């Protein structure tokens, strides 16, 4: 069963290196599916499938311009993922800081016995 919450959909879309590369290319400017397809060893339909995944994650939007369809990055969905990652980083840094403080204030038995031998 595919993930349903927005954060899972975003991370699932970002899990594929081709989709991450597509996002990198779209950072510079909007591109058509044909322009994107030139960079990958797959058909336009294959690129379009990747774009559909990115659209479901609201990372990309497609806009019709005459007979062309421009693909543009819509980075707002990355905000939630970025906030989640930053929250995880902060929590782990706090845990590691507490562990370091504990270890500095509670020497191991080995450290205590070595100090006793030195005296």
């Amino acid at each position: 069963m595919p993930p349903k919450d927005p954060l899972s959909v975003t991370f699932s879309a970002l899990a594929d290196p081709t989709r991450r590369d597509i996002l990198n290319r779209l950072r510079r400017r909007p591109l058509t599916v044909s322009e994107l397809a030139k960079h990958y060893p797959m058909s336009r339909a294959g690129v379009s499938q990747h774009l559909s995944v990115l659209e479901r994650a609201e990372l990309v939007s497609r806009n019709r311009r005459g007979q062309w369809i421009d693909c543009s990055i819509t980075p707002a969905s990355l905000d939630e993922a970025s906030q989640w990652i930053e929250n995880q980083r902060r929590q782990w840094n706090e845990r590691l800081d507490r562990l370091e403080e504990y270890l500095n204030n509670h020497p191991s038995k080995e450290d205590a016995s070595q100090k006793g031998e030195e005296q």
Side-chain angles (χ1 to χ4, degrees), residues 32-106:
T32 65
V33 176
S34 296
E35 290 171 322
L36 285 167
K38 292 177 189 176
H39 300 283
Y40 306 103
M42 65 182 78
S43 65
R44 284 183 53 210
V47 171
S48 188
Q49 287 178 337
H50 281 292
L51 288 166
S52 293
V53 172
L54 292 168
E55 275 185 302
R56 279 192 300 277
E58 298 180 2
L59 296 168
V60 166
S61 63
R62 295 191 224 193
N63 302 304
R64 183 164 286 285
R65 180 178 47 94
Q67 65 185 34
W68 293 278
I69 298 176
D70 287 329
C71 304
S72 303
I73 192 168
T74 52
S77 289
L78 288 175
D79 291 344
E80 184 180 357
S82 178
Q83 288 171 349
W84 185 87
I85 290 169
E86 190 53 42
N87 186 38
Q88 295 301 309
R89 181 191 333 264
R90 189 183 80 257
Q91 288 178 9
W92 276 104
N93 283 337
E94 289 170 2
R95 289 176 185 142
L96 291 172
D97 289 346
R98 286 193 310 266
L99 176 61
E100 181 180 33
E101 183 180 331
Y102 176 84
L103 293 174
N104 287 336
N105 293 325
H106 297 85

